[in-house]
Amino acid sequence: MKVFISADMEGTAGITDAEQTREGRPDYNRFRRLMTEEVNAAILGALEAGAKEIVVNDSHATMRNLLIEELHPQAQLVSGSPKPYSMMQGIDASFDAVFFTGYHASAGTQDAILDHTYSGACVRQIKLGNLVVGEAGLNAALAGHFKVPVALVTGDGTAVQQVKKLIPHVEVVAVKEAIGRVAARSYQPVEARRRIKEGAAKALKRARDLKPFVVAKPVNLEIDWMYTSMADRCMLIPGVTRATPRATAFKAKDAEQAFTVTIACLVMARSLV
């Protein structure tokens, strides 16, 4: 079996503040190591359940966080940015399952650690049709385009339950419970990793029975931005229309196009930050 892991950072056990996830800040190196160790726990669980090939995509910020020398030797690492598929770089139809580790809830979610959707400085909300999606939902839709199911998600309790509402079959592992946006009650890292390993093994053992998250075609993409100027800039992309003064829309032929247009819009919007 072949497993793809998209590894974010905010959902790592112990993290409660953005300062802990930013390169150059005092706690960053400490928490990038804990992020790496949680990914290793997911890898160990996958190997225990029969995985033969594992690809890990570093999916946080600059996407240069995971310590490759400490990553499990049976995994391959995709790192750096920009990448065409961003948090999902490397996904294709050859995979049997997708894991999301260290994930957080979508922008505007109450009692969720560091809630945001791709860019806290730019995005208020993303919709695929009538569904409001965060990073997990958008990324799951791209995996679904390739007929690959999301089998596991780890992060804070609110974040993982949000994904479970969207994808009921997914195995979830909560490593902390949010107390507002920047405080949490967390499992000690060793215990968090034990739970992740156990959850990963359980998830992969039933991966063949899981269904991918597939959105109906065509896909109506709508992004609500922080400022009207961001919507202005996105209007330079052919096919993008104005939904409201602060929101843009695009009718995509499928989930892959919706995903890539979202990434393109983000590049345009971030140029104003």
Side-chain angles (χ1 to χ4, degrees), residues 9 13 37 39 60 73 108 158 178 192 202 204-205 207 260:
M9 191 173 188
E37 290 173 350
V39 172
H60 175 70
T158 303
K202 184 178 178 181
L204 198 58
K205 285 175 182 176
T260 56

Side-chain angles (χ1 to χ4, degrees), residues 1-211:
M1 297 185 77
K2 189 174 178 181
V3 177
F4 180 87
I5 301 177
S6 174
D8 207 349
M9 191 173 188
E10 289 91 347
T12 302
I15 287 179
T16 59
D17 193 280
E19 290 290 296
Q20 296 165 316
T21 72
R22 290 176 178 162
E23 187 175 358
R25 299 299 198 269
D27 281 340
Y28 171 72
N29 284 329
R30 171 180 164 216
F31 282 102
R32 72 187 297 204
R33 177 163 283 104
L34 292 180
M35 173 192 181
T36 303
E37 290 173 350
E38 287 196 4
V39 172
N40 279 338
I43 293 169
L44 287 169
L47 292 171
E48 182 181 287
K52 300 301 181 185
E53 185 176 349
I54 299 172
V55 175
V56 179
N57 182 40
D58 192 325
S59 300
H60 175 70
T62 60
M63 303 185 178
R64 302 192 304 263
N65 310 281
L66 293 170
L67 297 166
I68 191 168
E69 67 273 23
E70 296 184 17
L71 195 67
H72 194 287
Q74 286 186 245
Q76 299 173 49
L77 177 64
V78 180
S79 62
S81 66
K83 297 179 284 197
Y85 279 171
S86 189
M87 297 180 75
M88 295 296 286
Q89 188 63 42
I91 189 66
D92 60 34
S94 68
F95 288 90
D96 297 289
V98 168
F99 290 175
F100 294 154
T101 61
Y103 266 51
H104 53 80
S106 61
T109 303
Q110 184 177 343
D111 295 331
I113 295 298
L114 299 173
D115 59 297
H116 66 278
T117 301
Y118 265 90
S119 173
C122 297
V123 178
R124 291 171 61 91
Q125 186 181 85
I126 295 178
K127 291 177 70 177
L128 297 179
N130 294 321
L131 289 174
V132 175
V133 295
E135 292 170 19
L138 185 64
N139 296 346
L142 181 62
H145 172 79
F146 293 106
K147 303 297 188 287
V148 185
V150 177
L152 173 75
V153 59
T154 77
D156 73 70
T158 303
V160 300
Q161 288 305 316
Q162 186 175 74
V163 181
K164 198 166 182 65
K165 287 181 181 178
L166 193 66
I167 311 170
H169 66 251
V170 72
E171 187 72 26
V172 300
V173 177
V175 299
K176 56 191 173 186
E177 293 295 330
I179 306 169
R181 189 175 190 270
V182 289
R185 183 178 67 191
S186 181
Y187 286 111
Q188 196 273 348
V190 170
E191 174 62 13
R193 295 195 292 269
R194 184 192 70 77
R195 289 170 179 262
I196 291 170
K197 179 184 175 183
E198 183 179 273
K202 184 178 178 181
L204 198 58
K205 285 175 182 176
R206 59 188 185 89
R208 296 191 190 281
D209 298 322
L210 303 180
K211 295 181 179 180

